[in-house]
Every structure is written in C-alpha cells, then in structure tokens.
C-alpha cells in the first residue's frame, strides 16, 4: 500500500524567508509520481509541482522547488521568498500504478502561516 | 488542462436527507474521482467513477451511502444519502485527463454542512 507522511501539522514563517515542507512516502511501485498541492481557505486544490520517480533532476516551478531524495523516499517542497499569500494548507500526494489504478494518495497536510 | 464545474459550491442540509453533487468537465476524461475532506483533515478517496459501469469504492465507503453515476465521459454525480452531522465535509471531484497538471485537476469543491 502507498502512504504519504507529512510530519509538520503547522509551520510559522516570517515573510520573505524560505520554507521547507517535509514529505516522506512509502510505495513498492517502481513508477510513481509525487505532487504538491496548495489549499487556501476557499477549499480549492491548486497544483504546485510534480516530480516523477525517474526524473533525475529536482522539479522547479517559479518559487517552488521539490527536493527529491529517492533513496530516503522524501519529496520536500521548498518555497523561496515566502509571501503572505502563501498562507494555506499544503498537501503532498503520490500517484501509483498499483493494479492499474492511478489514484492519488494524500498526506495529512501542513498548515503554513506567513507572518508579516 | 481540463476545466471542472462542480455544483453546488455549498449547502446546508437537514439530517436524514440526501444531496446530489454534480461534476461537469469541459472535455472527455479517462478517469473521474470523488474525494471527501472532513474538517481539518486530508483528502480521502471515496470512489473512482467508471463510465457505463458501477463505481469502484474504497475501503470504508459503500454504494448505498454514496451512490455515484457517470453516464458519459464528461459528467458524474455523487449523492450523499441519509445524511448525518458526520457527513459535514468538503466533497471534491477530480479528473485525470491527458494534459495539464500532469493529469489531475480538481473541482472547486462542495462545502456541505448537516444540521
């Protein structure tokens, strides 16, 4: 079974600082994908970044980067130069291909608060 | 990427009643999913909606409580039946398309409160 673990229930960061949100995963699949989503108070799920299990380079999308350490089974999200609008819930998720299914499994989430 | 219209965006319902949530996609998609997000919790997959056949439910979810229809490749409904306060959650539709966001797009969610 696939499992995603986010060990930081909440984080508080000063504006303009960088922040790292932790994510570890467990799977027996050889091919899988890792996602990060942002969920503001409105409830919508906003896609941030994706890393494939065979990608050799860490994914980057603007201020977001994914620190992918395959041997340690970790996929931490790094947000550079944080902004007040970054305050939200952040979810790490994994897609596997167990038995042909392409379902997303989510971690517990981290609530990020950016202080001015 | 696919664009999803999910309705209603929110509702307040009496216990014992049922509510049907609609998910309309602007293009044909291979897979559609329904998630539940209880207050302060993560997303939990309820089921995969299969076009032309019965939905595939995850452990802990049953068809009698959460009947799902998917009559074509662009539309699905989730019904929450015989609601109780424990059903108060955000319900999200998600699709796996061929392009955009590495496949997955989410609807804006339905915030459901049972009184």
């Amino acid at each position: 079974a696939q499992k995603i673990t986010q060990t930081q229930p909440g984080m508080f960061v000063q504006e303009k600082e960088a922040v790292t949100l932790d994510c570890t995963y467990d799977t027996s699949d050889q091919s899988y994908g890792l996602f990060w989503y942002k969920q503001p108070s409105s409830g919508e799920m906003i896609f941030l970044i994706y890393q494939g299990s065979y990608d050799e380079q860490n994914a980057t999308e603007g201020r977001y980067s994914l620190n992918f350490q395959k041997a340690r089974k970790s996929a931490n999200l790094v947000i550079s130069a944080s902004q007040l609008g970054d305050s939200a819930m952040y979810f790490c998720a994994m897609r596997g291909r167990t038995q042909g299914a392409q379902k997303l499994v989510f971690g517990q989430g981290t609530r990020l608060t950016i202080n001015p | 990427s696919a664009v999803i219209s999910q309705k209603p965006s929110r509702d307040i319902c009496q216990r014992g009643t049922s509510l049907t949530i609609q998910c309309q996609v602007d293009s044909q998609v291979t897979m559609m999913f329904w998630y539940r997000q209880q207050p302060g919790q993560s997303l939990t997959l309820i089921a995969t909606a299969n076009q032309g056949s019965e939905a595939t439910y995850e452990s802990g979810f049953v068809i009698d409580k959460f009947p799902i229809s998917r009559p074509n490749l662009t539309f699905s409904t989730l019904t929450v039946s015989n609601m109780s306060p424990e059903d108060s959650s955000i319900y999200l539709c998600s699709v796996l398309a061929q392009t955009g966001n590495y496949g997955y797009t989410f609807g804006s969610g339905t915030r459901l409160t049972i009184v």
Side-chain angles (χ1 to χ4, degrees):
Chain A
Q2 298 166 329
K3 187 177 181 180
I4 293 281
T5 302
Q6 295 179 253
T7 58
Q8 305 156 310
M11 287 196 67
F12 296 85
V13 174
Q14 287 298 121
E15 188 180 9
K16 298 181 183 179
E17 290 184 352
V19 57
T20 298
L21 304 182
D22 295 341
C23 173
T24 58
Y25 61 92
D26 190 24
T27 181
S28 57
D29 291 346
Q30 296 300 310
S31 175
Y32 53 88
L34 296 157
F35 299 75
W36 276 92
Y37 289 90
K38 172 183 177 181
Q39 187 181 44
S41 57
S42 60
E44 61 185 311
M45 295 292 286
I46 301 171
F47 167 78
L48 296 178
I49 198 166
Y50 169 84
Q51 180 85 42
S53 58
Y54 293 116
D55 295 341
E56 296 186 351
Q57 292 191 328
N58 289 339
T60 61
E61 290 284 352
R63 294 188 299 115
Y64 304 107
S65 61
L66 199 152
N67 184 0
F68 182 47
Q69 298 188 41
K70 193 171 183 177
R72 298 180 60 183
K73 293 189 174 180
S74 74
N76 298 339
L77 176 70
V78 180
I79 306 175
S80 63
S82 58
Q83 302 171 356
L84 296 178
D86 293 332
S87 293
M89 283 291 291
Y90 288 80
F91 291 99
C92 180
M94 177 169 60
R95 177 201 68 211
R97 294 181 182 271
T98 304
Q99 298 179 346
Q102 296 188 59
K103 300 179 287 188
L104 283 182
V105 176
F106 287 83
Q108 306 93 315
T110 297
R111 181 171 297 280
L112 176 63
T113 302
I114 308 298
N115 296 316
Chain B
S1 58
V3 177
I4 300 174
S5 173
Q6 185 175 339
K7 296 179 182 179
S9 59
R10 60 177 63 232
D11 206 340
I12 301 173
C13 300
Q14 297 290 325
R15 65 179 67 198
T17 64
S18 299
L19 178 75
T20 296
I21 303 167
Q22 298 182 358
C23 179
Q24 177 72 55
V25 192
D26 69 343
S27 58
Q28 294 185 344
V29 294
T30 52
M31 302 185 77
M32 299 180 76
F33 308 93
W34 288 98
Y35 288 86
R36 181 178 72 180
Q37 186 179 23
Q38 295 176 301
Q41 303 296 313
S42 184
L43 281 73
T44 301
L45 181 64
I46 297 172
T48 302
N50 301 309
Q51 193 265 329
S53 64
E54 191 172 287
T56 303
Y57 289 84
E58 297 298 307
S59 177
F61 297 96
V62 295
I63 187 172
D64 289 346
K65 177 66 175 178
F66 298 101
I68 288 171
S69 76
R70 189 176 176 191
N72 56 53
L73 294 176
T74 64
F75 185 77
S76 178
T77 65
L78 167 73
T79 299
V80 186
S81 303
N82 188 24
M83 290 183 288
S84 66
E86 292 72 33
D87 295 320
S88 296
S89 299
I90 298 175
Y91 292 86
L92 292 127
C93 167
S94 176
V95 302
L96 176 59
Q98 295 302 317
T99 60
N101 294 342
Y102 296 92
Y104 295 93
T105 301
F106 285 82
S108 54
T110 296
R111 194 178 295 267
L112 183 58
T113 302
I114 313 305
V115 298

